[in-house]
Amino acid sequence: TIYYSTIDSPIFPSRGFKFLLNYRYSGGFLGGTVDLHKYRVEVTKFIPVPKTSHVIGANLVYQKLTAFGPVQEVPFYENYFLGGERSIRGFDVYRIGPRNDSGAVFGGTKAFYLNLEYRIHLNEQISFNFFGDFGNAYTPEQKISLKNIYSSIGAELKIFVPMLNVPFRLIFAYNPR
C-alpha cells in the first residue's frame, strides 16, 4: 500500500489531498485456493471555499481484481458490491452491481465510484452537506460506461458525539432507480 494524505481532519475535513494505491496478491507461490491480483486506487480532494466555512470535496475510487492460475474463477466473496454510506448513498449496502437472471446481485470484478460534496461546517461538531454519488460494479466483459451507472443525490447531517468518538450521520438521499 502506498498512502499519502494532507487532509486536516478525518471527520470534518476542510482542506487537503489523499492518495491511496493498494495491491493485494493471494495464492500462486504463496499457496491457497484463491489466485488473485486485487487493485485499488483512491484519490480525494477537499478545497475550502474562500471567506466561508464551506468546503468542496471529491472522492474517486477505482477497484479491479483478476484471477490467475489453474482456476480462473473469482470467488463470490471477493467481488465488488457497492451501495451504502461508504460508496453510493441512497442505496442499500451491497445492492449495486451485476445481477443474475433472477435479479440477485452477484458482484463485479471491477468497480468505480465518485462522491461529490458541498459541506457547510456549522461548528466544531456539526456539519451539513449536499452530495452526489455515482458509480457501478461490472463483470469482466462489461466496459465501464457513464451510460451504465447508478447515481444518488441528497443531503447529510453529521454530528460528532465525543463520548463515542464517532460521528452520527443522518443521510437523506434520492436515487432515480
Side-chain angles (χ1 to χ4, degrees), residues 58-162:
N59 179 50
L60 177 64
V61 176
Y62 175 75
Q63 306 172 105
K64 183 176 181 177
L65 61 90
T66 55
F68 68 92
V71 179
Q72 293 284 321
E73 189 172 321
V74 175
F76 175 80
Y77 56 85
E78 290 288 351
N79 285 336
Y80 297 113
F81 300 86
L82 299 180
E85 67 181 62
R86 293 182 177 251
S87 61
I88 302 177
R89 293 165 279 198
F91 291 88
D92 288 338
V93 177
Y94 304 139
R95 294 291 181 205
I96 296 176
R99 298 179 182 272
N100 61 19
D101 294 334
S102 64
V105 179
F106 63 86
T109 58
K110 56 189 169 192
F112 91 95
Y113 58 91
L114 171 66
N115 310 109
L116 301 173
E117 294 186 347
Y118 187 86
R119 294 177 180 245
I120 302 167
H121 293 288
L122 302 175
N123 60 36
E124 291 182 10
Q125 293 181 309
I126 301 172
S127 77
F128 184 76
N129 72 38
F130 298 99
F131 65 83
D133 295 340
F134 313 89
N136 200 356
Y138 302 90
T139 64
E141 300 81 31
Q142 293 176 309
K143 291 188 178 198
I144 293 178
S145 167
L146 295 179
K147 294 178 182 177
N148 183 15
I149 63 170
Y150 289 78
S151 63
S152 70
I153 58 171
E156 175 180 356
L157 177 65
K158 187 184 287 189
I159 303 168
F160 181 69
V161 182

Side-chain angles (χ1 to χ4, degrees), residues 23-26 35-39 64-68:
Y23 170 73
R24 189 180 104 198
Y25 177 90
S26 66
D35 299 328
L36 287 177
H37 298 285
K38 204 166 188 178
Y39 313 89
K64 183 176 181 177
L65 61 90
T66 55
F68 68 92

Side-chain angles (χ1 to χ4, degrees), residues 37-48:
H37 298 285
K38 204 166 188 178
Y39 313 89
R40 178 183 175 97
V41 177
E42 182 173 350
V43 178
T44 304
K45 179 73 175 169
F46 291 101
I47 303 167

